[in-house]
């Protein structure tokens, strides 16, 4: 789940950053994704708003969800029998993609939209397809990545250009 949350940090969505991580039966990471616009669709040109004058002014018409991106970014031929860890319970569209990809289990952190029809439909489809899902209960309240903890003294000091990711 921590990798799903770390992937979510890459999202430029100002209100909802979601990440997903797919692991195989050996817990080897085989896919990561986060919510964002399709390749070639600029983060500056498309809207990040939740609403607008029309649907075309809202991010919902354009954003690819973390689950979709994790499946598309997989590093294996298929994800049959894999487990997906995701920050937010999958919407109905993502449930369809999860089912079609033959992922067997979904582990989610938040189900904040549980009462919405889209989430109810998602659960109906996952149940019908025999996909298990469960809420993740973290053992640790936080994981801290502190680059100051690394002993840099033994590493090469060759200047490198900054990484933008």
């Amino acid at each position: 789940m921590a990798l799903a949350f770390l992937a979510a940090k890459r999202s430029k969505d100002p209100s909802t950053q979601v990440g997903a991580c797919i692991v195989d039966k050996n817990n080897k990471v085989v896919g990561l994704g986060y919510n964002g616009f399709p390749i070639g669709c600029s983060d500056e040109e498309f809207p990040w708003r939740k609403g607008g004058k029309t649907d075309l002014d809202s991010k919902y018409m354009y954003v690819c969800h973390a689950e979709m991106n994790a499946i598309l970014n997989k590093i294996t031929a298929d994800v049959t029998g894999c487990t997906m860890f995701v920050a937010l319970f999958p919407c109905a569209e993502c449930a369809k993609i999860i089912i079609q990809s033959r992922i067997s289990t979904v582990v989610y952190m938040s189900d904040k939209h549980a009462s919405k029809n889209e989430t109810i439909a998602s659960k109906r489809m996952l149940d019908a397809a025999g996909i298990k899902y469960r809420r993740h209960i973290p053992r640790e309240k936080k994981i801290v990545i502190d680059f100051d903890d690394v002993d840099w003294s033994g590493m090469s000091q060759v200047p490198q250009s900054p990484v933008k990711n």
Side-chain angles (χ1 to χ4, degrees):
M1 187 60 76
L3 285 175
F5 273 77
L6 190 58
K9 292 292 186 186
R10 293 188 54 102
S11 173
K12 294 191 173 97
D13 190 326
S15 61
T16 309
Q17 293 182 317
V18 178
C21 176
I22 303 170
V23 299
D24 65 13
K25 64 181 179 180
N26 298 312
N27 282 327
K28 178 183 173 190
V29 175
V30 296
L32 286 171
Y34 57 91
N35 57 320
F37 296 133
I39 294 168
C41 297
S42 170
D43 293 324
E44 286 78 40
E45 292 178 32
F46 286 86
W48 281 113
R49 308 182 272 292
K50 288 184 176 186
K53 292 180 184 178
T54 72
D55 288 346
L56 295 174
D57 298 322
S58 169
K59 68 180 179 178
Y60 299 114
M61 296 296 286
Y62 308 103
V63 169
C64 296
H65 287 181
E67 300 92 330
M68 175 196 298
N69 282 325
I71 292 167
L72 291 172
N73 292 336
K74 69 185 185 301
I75 59 168
T76 184
D78 68 64
V79 289
T80 300
C82 288
T83 298
M84 176 180 281
F85 291 86
V86 64
L88 189 60
F89 196 92
C91 70
E93 288 302 311
C94 288
K96 294 173 194 175
I97 295 168
I98 289 166
I99 292 165
Q100 292 298 92
S101 69
R102 293 182 168 77
I103 286 174
S104 64
T105 306
V106 174
V107 181
Y108 62 92
M109 189 76 173
S110 171
D111 194 8
K112 72 178 184 178
H113 301 297
S115 63
K116 291 186 176 180
N117 284 341
E118 188 166 2
T119 304
I120 293 166
S122 176
K123 289 177 181 177
R124 282 183 184 173
M125 287 187 285
L126 293 172
D127 289 339
I131 310 250
K132 299 179 208 106
Y133 52 89
R134 64 178 168 82
R135 185 169 172 265
H136 176 72
I137 309 295
R139 289 181 290 217
E140 305 288 332
K141 288 198 179 258
K142 64 172 121 174
I143 295 173
V144 177
I145 299 173
D146 187 347
F147 292 109
D148 290 332
D149 283 347
V150 177
D151 179 7
W152 299 103
S153 62
M155 297 184 191
S156 171
Q157 297 299 319
V158 178
Q160 297 179 358
S161 49
V163 176
K164 294 185 180 188
N165 292 339

